[in-house]
Amino acid sequence: MANDREVLREVWDGRLPIKFSIAEEDRELLLMEKDPYYILVPRMTYLPLLPVKKHFESAIPVTDSSDNQPTELWFSYQDVPLKWQIPIGVLYDLVGGDTLPWEIKLRISDFPADKLARLGTTIEETVRSSFIHNVKEAGYMKHRGAVMMHLLPDQHTQLWRGLHRDKFDDFWKINHRLMEHIDNAPYRCVPFRIYTGIHDRYIQKFFKPMTEDEKLTTLGQLLKQFKPEAVVELEETDDPDIIKSYEVAEGWKVKIHGIETPMNTPIQWLSEHLSHADNFLYIVVVKISS
Amino acid sequence: MGESSKRPQLRTWELIYSGTWPKQYAEKLRQRNAKETAPYKDVFTSFSSLYNTLEQYRGKIKKLDYENLRRQEDIKSIISDPGKKLTESDKNFLALQQENIQLIRQHETTQREMLRMAMKVKDVASKETQIIALEGKCFRLEQENGVLRDEFTTLQLMCKKLEEDNKNLMMENQHMVEKILLHKKEEVDVINMHNETMKKLKEHQMFYELESARKEDTSPDQSLSHLYMTQGSQLDNISLPRSRLGGSNSSAGAAVRGGLFSRLFRKSESESDDHESRHSSVSSRCRLYSGPAIIPGNVANKVEQHTSELYSLAFSYQGTMFATGGADKCIKLWRSSNLPNVDSIATLTGCNAGVMSIDIDERDQFVVGGSNDSAVRMWQVSGGQIRSTFMGHDNKIYSVKFYSHSQKIVSGSHDRTLRLWDVRTSKNVRTIFARSSCHDLAVLSEQGTDIVSGHFDKRLRFWDERQDTSSFEMLLDGRITSLDLSGCGKFLACSCKDASTIKFIDLKLRQAIATFTADGLRMGEHTRCSFSPDGQYIACGSTDGSIFLWNTRTLKREEVPKMHSSAVPVVKWHPMGQSFISLEKSKKFYVWTDV
């Protein structure tokens, strides 16, 4: 039962300072010069939901000069196109580096269709359906969709609105139910995604929060199973309940919500407290570049 | 599925939740936030607020720009217009500002009032439904009221009108009464005056006659026959109540002799013609006495007193006087006691048009005249005043006759009716619709059971005054202009204009027993033929001035010298038969004697 509100609150309150500006290469397409836009952004939200477009709207031509299509906006950081499906916090953990504020460039031309999904014209609706889809997927993994099936369309909307409008209480009113344990049992599987790079395929597999002999599984075990090169097994275990303990291998970094997580955290607890708004636990595993 | 049904032990959950993880993670997250968020939070939030205010200002500026633009346009338009508008608009602006302030204050009060009103609106709504119902009722009542009011006004109008009519009639009535009174008074005055003058006249006359009688006494060398004649006539006068002769001995003696003479005459007449005398008892029309009639041969007197054409002539029963009438609207009464000399007795005036027909009553008291002014008038011989006026005809009256011993009058008119009048009451007793213009009448019996009328449609019609339809009709040769009854009452002479013939009709047989005609006989519209008193001759005047005369026994024509120069409408013998009078159209009449 997710009842540690302090953690939830801290997770929710995670903000990133971001500086949005038009990319150098697109500057000549602008109708007028625009100052960069600084904004403190929740880690849980998605890029297209930010009021960036509104700021730059007056400067952006309505149609693309080359193919006469409506201008498509996309974001990049150091020439890396940023996927809008991934929460901003995860994006930052993946590619952000250490400098803050995070300087994201706004692109209005050369849309990298091979790397990014198109948003279409109804941006919010697209993001919303992607989000709800993820929630459903996670629900299915956790309790075969038992809770999700009983939610009314209104409650879906409430969940989404809670995220979109940064309303913690509204969001958790619904999300609380999604995090329930059915019959006092842990989740069937823990919905997680391991990101190793922004354009690498994420790892999403079935992983039980408890072993058959009723031992809790940990993050370390999870990584051992799906990303074995990132962890190393420790020989001694000081906890009798945990089968084996691991630690992050040298040259690797494992981040959830921007923090380096202890490897022997039970995965059930992590899922309940550190999942993103779409109920997935995003685990960023990156190599530290020397 | 077996795995999912496994229940974790309580310990397991304790492990999860009571572990150090929450604190650890909370700490880590706080550290993260402290690193990532806290340093930037102030700057970014202030940026955000600044940005927002900037945006707000931008919006405002935009709006102001737009407004400014509009104002500038307004100003431009104002400037392009006559300059005075600007100052005016400035003034207006100030006024409007003040007004605005006032309006705001008003708005506040009205808002307060509106609240109160809102409370009231509920009540009003419920009342409105009541009002609607009442309005419906009211409307119906108003309609009814309107109808009633209309009725009332029409009634009022009617009432007013009737009242007015009533008033008018009352006034008229009063007026009439006054008029009548006035007229009566005038009438009385006139009659009084007339009586007085007549009295004076009579005294004068008496004086004159006494004077002349005295003269006669002194000149006894007059011829006997002449004496007889005059005294005989005077005797008749004496027999009437209206005697005007006081008695000198000599004249009284003469009168007795005259009376003897006449009685003798009468006796011989009745012996000679038994039938005639019997008939005379039936009809007083028949002259009691008539000597042998003369054939006119010599004009002894020409009288020209009328001022216009002559139409009618009538002798009194005893022949003591006669009346003439014509277009000069008056009737002149003449004394005929010493023909051929005539003296005027009176002039009867009052007609408004020519006199077409005259009759004198049995006792020489009244003269009746039918005039072209549609009225029948009756005058008193003594005094000459109008006694009665008989109104009723619609057109010219061509013929009037006394009958029923002068108690009644019958008149025939161009309006195709005959009217019977009562002399005493002056009322129209009966109207007979004769279907054609009546030109002359003859009364066969005093009871009025046999009245003959001659018509324009060539017919003779026989009437009984008690019946509406004619008992008998006779078709003659032409338009009938005159009828004359013979002295014995058995025969009727009838002049027909178109054929210029005179029919000699036996009334018993009711057919013409002879037709007289002659070359040169031309009849006028109102030519009247005449029997001699003894029934021996029929005479008729012609339009050329000649007079034609036929013997009814021999049916031959007798010559009469032509003396008139213009048309002769009427000829007549004196009832005694000793003289003959013919009227000429040109204002004069001739008195004829034997040759």
Side-chain angles (χ1 to χ4, degrees):
Chain A
M1 212 43 179
N3 52 9
D4 203 325
R5 284 182 69 88
E6 198 192 354
V7 178
L8 295 178
R9 189 78 227 191
E10 291 294 346
V11 167
W12 185 268
D13 282 343
R15 310 272 145 142
L16 282 172
I18 302 175
K19 174 192 175 187
F20 288 98
S21 53
I22 302 289
E24 284 301 322
E25 48 267 62
D26 287 337
R27 202 152 276 178
E28 56 201 41
L29 293 173
L30 288 178
L31 302 172
M32 60 195 277
E33 202 68 29
K34 268 286 177 187
D35 291 333
Y37 186 57
Y38 295 90
I39 188 168
L40 211 54
V41 174
R43 275 176 159 266
M44 304 272 264
T45 196
Y46 300 90
L47 277 174
L49 302 180
L50 303 177
V52 181
K53 194 185 173 187
K54 200 180 156 198
H55 174 77
F56 292 101
E57 209 164 29
S58 55
I60 299 168
V62 179
T63 54
D64 201 311
S65 55
S66 57
D67 53 3
N68 228 20
Q69 290 294 312
T71 307
E72 198 118 26
L73 288 181
W74 57 286
F75 301 94
S76 75
Y77 174 68
Q78 293 178 348
D79 295 333
V80 180
L82 299 176
K83 279 188 178 176
W84 56 263
Q85 299 94 323
I86 302 171
I88 292 166
V90 179
L91 285 173
Y92 176 70
D93 290 343
L94 272 172
V95 296
D98 284 333
T99 50
L100 281 172
W102 192 23
E103 290 186 27
I104 293 177
K105 299 287 179 196
L106 199 65
R107 299 294 310 272
I108 54 171
S109 64
D110 304 327
F111 187 80
D114 55 330
K115 289 181 178 165
L116 295 180
R118 287 185 190 274
L119 272 165
T121 44
T122 54
I123 294 165
E124 196 197 317
E125 186 53 37
T126 312
V127 179
R128 180 184 184 272
S129 65
S130 159
F131 169 76
I132 295 293
H133 175 79
N134 281 352
V135 171
K136 281 180 178 173
E137 197 179 341
Y140 192 82
M141 290 172 83
K142 279 191 278 187
H143 5 64
R144 294 179 179 272
V147 177
M148 200 60 200
M149 261 152 61
H150 294 297
L151 287 183
L152 299 170
D154 265 8
Q155 289 167 319
H156 291 188
T157 313
Q158 203 181 334
L159 192 72
W160 165 251
R161 215 174 274 163
L163 171 72
H164 187 14
R165 297 189 185 169
D166 194 19
K167 294 280 191 311
F168 176 77
D169 291 329
D170 287 1
F171 178 81
W172 272 101
K173 220 180 208 171
I174 309 300
N175 203 41
H176 176 69
R177 293 180 61 188
L178 294 172
M179 292 299 178
E180 269 176 6
H181 306 138
I182 291 177
D183 296 335
N184 212 24
Y187 301 145
R188 206 167 60 87
C189 292
V190 175
F192 71 94
R193 280 170 184 172
I194 296 170
Y195 277 90
T196 50
I198 195 158
H199 293 295
D200 301 337
R201 228 192 113 72
Y202 55 80
I203 301 159
Q204 182 180 333
K205 301 273 165 132
F206 291 110
F207 185 79
K208 293 181 197 313
M210 198 180 276
T211 55
E212 284 187 27
D213 51 354
E214 297 195 358
K215 294 259 170 84
L216 292 168
T217 50
T218 60
L219 179 64
Q221 281 170 313
L222 187 140
L223 288 174
K224 178 67 191 165
Q225 194 172 338
F226 302 112
K227 193 72 183 169
E229 62 269 35
V231 288
V232 284
E233 201 168 322
L234 291 178
E235 272 166 26
E236 71 253 44
T237 53
D238 43 359
D239 194 334
D241 296 313
I242 290 165
I243 307 158
K244 275 173 185 171
S245 81
Y246 300 91
E247 73 177 12
V248 179
E250 205 145 320
W252 290 86
K253 227 175 214 178
V254 175
K255 274 186 181 172
I256 299 172
H257 281 292
I259 53 175
E260 291 174 19
T261 41
M263 280 298 116
N264 49 356
T265 320
I267 204 75
Q268 172 78 25
W269 190 88
L270 276 178
S271 176
E272 282 175 31
H273 293 87
L274 271 77
S275 284
H276 268 267
D278 58 4
N279 284 212
F280 272 93
L281 186 65
Y282 287 83
I283 304 161
V284 177
V285 181
V286 285
K287 249 186 177 170
I288 302 165
S289 50
S290 54
Chain B
M1 295 303 284
E3 303 124 352
S4 66
S5 65
K6 275 179 191 162
R7 302 290 157 84
Q9 293 163 358
L10 193 65
R11 216 172 70 84
T12 318
W13 291 121
E14 272 176 11
L15 264 177
I16 293 171
Y17 297 119
S18 64
T20 52
W21 316 120
K23 275 180 192 166
Q24 251 184 51
Y25 275 89
E27 185 52 39
K28 277 183 186 270
L29 283 164
R30 245 177 263 129
Q31 279 175 6
R32 178 203 72 180
N33 286 353
K35 188 188 151 204
E36 289 180 355
T37 312
Y40 307 98
K41 196 175 178 182
D42 287 345
V43 180
F44 272 71
T45 45
S46 75
F47 172 82
S48 163
S49 71
L50 281 172
Y51 181 81
N52 284 342
T53 44
L54 185 70
E55 283 301 304
Q56 269 177 19
Y57 282 124
R58 271 192 188 139
K60 266 184 193 167
I61 285 164
K62 237 182 199 173
K63 216 165 115 187
L64 287 169
D65 273 349
Y66 176 69
E67 269 177 30
N68 192 23
L69 205 74
R70 242 180 41 190
R71 286 280 149 75
Q72 269 177 345
E73 273 168 18
D74 281 357
I75 286 162
K76 263 182 204 164
S77 68
I78 286 165
I79 285 167
S80 65
D81 276 6
K84 63 168 182 177
K85 261 195 179 176
L86 196 72
T87 53
E88 229 176 54
S89 67
D90 276 348
K91 273 182 208 162
N92 281 354
F93 179 68
L94 279 171
L96 283 169
Q97 246 180 351
Q98 275 180 346
E99 227 174 64
N100 194 24
I101 289 158
Q102 274 181 344
L103 282 171
I104 285 163
R105 271 180 217 146
Q106 273 179 8
H107 181 69
E108 276 168 12
T109 54
T110 46
Q111 258 182 341
R112 253 175 270 142
E113 259 179 20
M114 258 165 73
L115 275 171
R116 246 178 291 147
M117 293 304 245
M119 301 279 275
K120 279 181 187 172
V121 161
K122 262 187 192 174
D123 297 18
V124 168
S126 70
K127 272 170 191 170
E128 250 172 3
T129 51
Q130 280 180 352
I131 283 166
I132 285 161
L134 286 171
E135 263 175 356
K137 226 185 243 177
C138 212
F139 181 67
R140 255 177 288 134
L141 284 171
E142 254 174 4
Q143 272 184 331
E144 274 171 21
N145 189 24
V147 170
L148 287 172
R149 208 178 293 150
D150 284 359
E151 270 175 18
F152 178 68
T153 45
T154 49
L155 282 171
Q156 240 180 355
L157 280 173
M158 259 162 70
C159 188
K160 223 181 228 175
K161 212 180 144 191
L162 286 171
E163 265 175 5
E164 220 164 273
D165 283 3
N166 189 23
K167 213 174 173 184
N168 283 351
L169 284 172
M170 293 263 275
M171 269 168 66
E172 225 170 291
N173 188 23
Q174 211 178 343
H175 205 67
M176 293 285 218
V177 168
E178 276 172 15
K179 250 187 186 173
I180 284 167
L181 282 172
L182 208 81
H183 274 285
K184 278 220 172 134
K185 208 172 167 190
E186 271 176 13
E187 208 172 23
V188 168
D189 285 349
V190 165
I191 286 168
N192 283 347
M193 224 165 76
H194 215 102
N195 284 347
E196 233 167 285
T197 50
M198 283 322 269
K199 214 171 169 184
K200 270 183 193 170
L201 254 171
K202 246 184 246 170
E203 275 171 10
H204 262 283
Q205 218 161 15
M206 220 190 285
F207 180 76
Y208 170 77
E209 264 168 45
L210 280 170
E211 212 52 26
S212 65
R214 205 178 296 151
K215 268 181 200 166
E216 267 172 343
D217 264 355
T218 55
S219 58
D221 54 339
Q222 273 181 329
S223 73
L224 189 73
S225 63
H226 183 69
L227 190 79
Y228 279 156
M229 278 304 296
T230 47
Q231 294 307 328
S233 312
Q234 279 170 353
L235 182 84
D236 286 333
N237 278 353
I238 292 160
S239 71
L240 293 165
R242 169 177 58 92
S243 108
R244 50 186 152 85
L245 199 64
S248 73
N249 286 339
S250 60
S251 61
V256 170
R257 261 176 284 146
L260 272 173
F261 179 75
S262 66
R263 236 173 285 145
L264 266 170
F265 214 102
R266 247 177 244 169
K267 202 184 172 189
S268 68
E269 180 67 23
S270 65
E271 275 165 4
S272 70
D273 203 335
D274 197 32
H275 186 267
E276 237 177 43
S277 69
R278 234 189 304 130
H279 203 278
S280 71
S281 68
V282 178
S283 166
S284 69
R285 286 271 149 178
C286 310
R287 307 294 188 235
L288 289 173
Y289 163 74
S290 144
I294 57 152
I295 294 172
N298 184 31
V299 174
N301 195 0
K302 297 182 183 180
V303 182
E304 187 172 348
Q305 295 264 329
H306 279 282
T307 56
S308 185
E309 290 176 19
L310 292 171
Y311 294 134
S312 52
L313 169 69
F315 276 99
S316 68
Y317 279 62
Q318 278 75 27
T320 52
M321 59 182 177
F322 66 93
T324 54
D328 56 358
K329 305 175 189 175
C330 65
I331 296 171
K332 284 187 192 290
L333 271 179
W334 310 90
R335 186 173 296 117
S336 55
S337 37
N338 50 350
L339 284 173
N341 296 322
V342 293
D343 354 283
S344 170
I345 299 171
T347 302
L348 310 178
T349 56
C351 286
N352 301 315
V355 180
M356 297 305 291
S357 177
I358 305 171
D359 199 17
I360 301 176
D361 85 316
E362 277 181 3
R363 279 171 280 180
D364 293 358
Q365 278 182 319
F366 302 112
V367 174
V368 69
S371 168
N372 279 343
D373 66 358
S374 317
V376 176
R377 289 185 182 77
M378 194 172 82
W379 289 265
Q380 206 158 359
V381 171
S382 59
Q385 313 100 311
I386 290 179
R387 179 67 179 271
S388 321
T389 304
F390 305 96
M391 302 295 289
H393 279 295
D394 291 336
N395 215 323
K396 299 171 184 175
I397 293 159
Y398 289 141
S399 180
V400 284
K401 286 279 188 294
F402 278 110
Y403 73 104
S404 190
H405 302 288
S406 305
Q407 296 300 303
K408 290 180 182 174
I409 295 167
V410 58
S411 60
S413 162
H414 189 58
D415 68 1
R416 302 171 190 163
T417 60
L418 310 181
R419 281 176 194 264
L420 311 180
W421 313 89
D422 191 313
V423 171
R424 265 182 304 165
T425 61
S426 308
K427 276 182 181 162
N428 184 13
V429 181
R430 186 177 196 86
T431 303
I432 296 168
F433 294 94
R435 289 194 264 162
S436 177
S437 172
C438 173
H439 279 234
D440 207 355
L441 290 164
V443 181
L444 308 184
S445 69
E446 290 297 328
Q447 285 72 32
T449 51
D450 250 330
I451 298 169
V452 186
S453 58
H455 293 276
F456 184 78
D457 65 352
K458 310 179 184 177
R459 282 166 208 274
L460 276 182
R461 290 188 172 85
F462 292 75
W463 307 92
D464 187 323
E465 70 159 25
R466 294 162 297 186
Q467 287 175 344
D468 284 334
T469 52
S470 58
S471 56
F472 184 71
E473 285 190 16
M474 235 171 121
L475 183 65
L476 301 184
D477 299 344
R479 282 179 275 168
I480 295 163
T481 61
S482 70
L483 304 175
D484 198 27
L485 196 64
S486 70
C488 61
K490 276 162 69 179
F491 304 103
L492 192 69
C494 190
S495 59
C496 303
K497 188 199 167 203
D498 301 328
S500 292
T501 54
I502 291 167
K503 292 280 178 183
F504 184 49
I505 295 165
D506 188 321
L507 288 171
K508 221 171 189 182
L509 300 172
R510 285 188 166 169
Q511 57 182 208
I513 50 174
T515 303
F516 301 112
T517 183
D519 294 338
L521 176 60
R522 291 280 176 276
M523 290 182 187
E525 206 59 54
H526 300 289
T527 298
R528 297 188 192 272
C529 63
S530 177
F531 263 115
S532 66
D534 57 359
Q536 181 123 25
Y537 305 107
I538 293 174
C540 185
S542 172
T543 50
D544 63 353
S546 49
I547 295 168
F548 294 84
L549 199 115
W550 293 271
N551 191 318
T552 57
R553 306 246 158 94
T554 61
L555 304 179
K556 284 200 175 134
R557 195 185 146 197
E558 307 280 344
E559 283 296 330
V560 176
K562 185 185 172 191
M563 304 300 280
H564 286 292
S565 55
S566 68
V568 179
V570 184
V571 291
K572 216 145 217 174
W573 273 275
H574 184 269
M576 292 293 193
Q578 294 302 308
S579 26
F580 181 85
I581 295 177
S582 59
L583 300 188
E584 193 184 301
K585 224 173 180 182
S586 54
K587 307 174 191 174
K588 50 194 171 187
F589 63 87
Y590 291 0
V591 182
W592 299 67
T593 55
D594 204 350
V595 184

